[in-house]
Structures are given as structure tokens and as C-alpha cells.
Amino acid sequence: MTTVEKPGAAPPRRRVRGTERAIGVLPGPVRTAVLEVGQICQLLGQVLASAIRRPRGYWKDTLDEMYALLRLCFWPATISMAGFGFLITVMGVGLLSLLGAANRMGAFWVMADIREIAAFMVGMVVAGVIGTSITSDLGARRAREELDALKVLGMDVLRMLVIPRVIATAVMCALLNCLTSFVGVLLGLVAVSALADTTASAYIDSMSHNLYAADVWGAELKTLLTGLFIGVICSYKGLNAGGGPEGVGRAVNQAVVICFAMVWVFNFFFNAIAQGLNPNLLMLR
């Protein structure tokens, strides 16, 4: 038997969940940040689920995006690593020479270059160059209502525009980490030969004794996840940009700031977890 609502009766109240109630009591900026984090995680889940369930149809676009990323980020990553790495190298050589341990420069550079600086520089360069490109392109499409037109035509915006860019960003971050790590090792070799009172063979020997497999795969995994997060964050900001060209500009600024902060925070926590799981990384030989 169906019930007939009386005219003018109040609509039935929707049951409020505990999570919604807890979010509702938060201050406005905090509530907005929590909701954005949840929506970004939701987009990440959608990207991974769609890419894994149907792993076909987007690889050509992914290769094009990878080539564009390599072309745009190769020299910025190399030059940034060369400049910043040279500064850290000179400081390390001066400190170790003062302590009478210049022959341990290889061990110092394993910690400074492979674990920290190389992955950090890759994340910052990719976020600044490719992250802005992803956000501005998707935001401009949103402002011109191209995304709505694609949905009307029955096309999957996620698979056409988001998945190729996210995969390309993640993979190329891992590959660029190999480049920046190699540049850093060469910088250390040059600095030791020119500035320190030791030999290149002592530098290589110290590095080989303190470089573990966990350092290599840990750095690659860290930059892979960093690129994944950069791609998802910038795609989310571009897909949800509003307010015309001015709104697209705000979305680009917000995406870059969030990605920069994410690189710092994620790098810290990943290194802490990796060193906790591999105590050998804390010892110098």
C-alpha cells in the first residue's frame, strides 16, 4: 500500500551520516581542503580502476605524452640538478675535508643525491612544467565546454584525456630520476677530483660500498608515485576549473602549489618508511 503525501508537506529528511556530520563541523577552509583531498583520491581510484580493467585504447596517446614530457623536461631537469647538485657537492666536499673524511664523499653523495636531491628535483620540475600544462589544457577545455561536448558524443573523458597524461607523468618521472641521479654522480666525481684531497677511485669505492638495491628501487618507486600524484592532482584541478580564463589561472596556481607541497611531504615520509623497513640504509660503511 502506497502512502500519498499531503500537499504542502515537508519532504522527508535525508539521513545524515557520521562522516558528513564530522566534516560539517569543520571550519570552512579545512572542510574545503578535506573535500578536495577526498575527491582527488576518488579520481585516483577511477583512473587506476579504468586503466587496469581495460588496458587498451590509450597507449598511443600515452606514448605521445611521454615524448612531449621528455622534450619539455629533459634540459630543465638536467640544468636544475646540475646547479643545485653542484651547490650541495661543494658544501659536502668542504665539510668532509674539514673533518678529514674526504674519502667518504661517495657515501655522502649516495644519501644526498640518490635518496634526496634527484627525486626532489624531478618532482619540482615535472610539477612546474608538465603539471601547469595538464591543468591549463583541461581547464581551458572545461571553460570552452569541450568536456561536456565529448560526454554528449559518448566519449570517455577519463580515458581520452586523463589516463594517458597520468601514466606518462608517472613513468617519465621514474625515467628522469635515472637521468638526474647520473648527473649527480658525475658532479660528485668532478667535485672530488677538482676540490677534495682524495681520488676518484676512493669516491667510487665509497659509493659502491654504501649503495644498496633498496636505494635504487626506492628512488624509482618514489618518483613513480610522485608523478602519479602530480598527474592526478593537476588533472583534478583542470577538470574542476571554473570562472573562465581567470578561474583556469587560479586552478593552475593552486595545482602547482599543492604539487610542490606534496613533493616535500611525500619525499619525507617515503624516506622515513624506506629507512625504517631497511635498517641497512642508516649505516655507512
Side-chain angles (χ1 to χ4, degrees):
M1 181 177 180
T2 59
T3 59
V4 180
E5 295 183 359
K6 296 180 181 180
R13 298 179 60 184
R14 185 175 66 89
R15 185 176 181 181
V16 180
R17 299 179 180 178
T19 305
E20 296 179 355
R21 188 181 298 109
I23 294 176
V25 300
L26 295 175
V30 178
R31 181 169 60 251
T32 301
V34 171
L35 292 176
E36 282 199 352
V37 170
Q39 292 169 357
I40 290 173
C41 294
Q42 184 180 13
L43 178 61
L44 174 61
Q46 293 173 354
V47 168
L48 295 177
S50 180
I52 294 174
R53 289 177 181 175
R54 291 187 294 163
R56 290 184 298 179
Y58 52 80
W59 290 110
K60 183 179 183 302
D61 294 334
T62 301
L63 293 176
D64 293 339
E65 294 291 339
M66 291 173 63
Y67 173 74
L69 193 152
L70 178 63
R71 181 170 54 86
L72 293 174
C73 293
F74 180 85
W75 287 114
T78 303
I79 296 173
S80 299
M81 182 63 198
F84 193 68
F86 181 75
L87 175 63
I88 302 299
T89 303
V90 172
M91 295 174 59
V93 168
L95 177 62
L96 293 177
S97 298
L98 183 63
L99 298 175
N103 60 338
R104 306 302 301 274
M105 182 63 190
F108 165 79
W109 201 233
V110 167
M111 295 186 297
D113 174 36
I114 298 177
R115 298 181 190 174
E116 299 287 347
I117 302 176
F120 171 76
M121 293 308 303
V122 168
M124 300 296 281
V125 168
V126 172
V129 177
I130 300 303
T132 55
S133 175
I134 294 175
T135 306
S136 60
D137 181 65
L138 294 178
R141 292 173 184 266
R142 169 63 68 185
R144 296 192 300 264
E145 298 183 353
E146 291 183 14
L147 301 180
D148 297 330
L150 291 175
K151 292 179 181 178
V152 171
L153 294 174
M155 298 181 181
D156 192 346
V157 175
L158 191 72
R159 294 184 65 84
M160 286 185 59
L161 301 177
V162 177
I163 291 179
R165 301 181 184 195
V166 172
I167 294 178
T169 305
V171 174
M172 290 308 300
C173 275
L175 296 179
L176 286 173
N177 180 68
C178 299
L179 170 67
T180 54
S181 298
F182 179 72
V183 172
V185 170
L186 288 182
L187 276 175
L189 184 61
V190 171
V192 165
S193 302
L195 303 176
D197 188 17
T198 184
T199 61
S201 59
Y203 167 80
I204 297 175
D205 182 69
S206 177
M207 175 173 289
S208 63
H209 280 83
N210 290 274
L211 181 61
Y212 298 92
D215 289 315
V216 178
W217 68 257
E220 291 299 302
L221 178 60
K222 178 169 60 177
T223 48
L224 180 72
L225 294 177
T226 300
L228 179 66
F229 294 149
I230 290 174
V232 172
I233 292 171
C234 294
S235 297
Y236 167 80
K237 284 296 183 179
L239 292 174
N240 293 275
E246 184 179 353
V248 175
R250 285 197 301 268
V252 171
N253 291 334
Q254 292 173 2
V256 172
V257 171
I258 293 173
C259 288
F260 283 177
M262 182 275 301
V263 170
W264 279 90
V265 174
F266 181 73
N267 186 65
F268 172 79
F269 282 103
F270 186 93
N271 288 341
I273 294 173
Q275 292 175 8
L277 297 176
N278 299 274
N280 291 334
L281 302 180
L282 301 173
M283 297 184 298
L284 296 180
R285 293 187 296 176

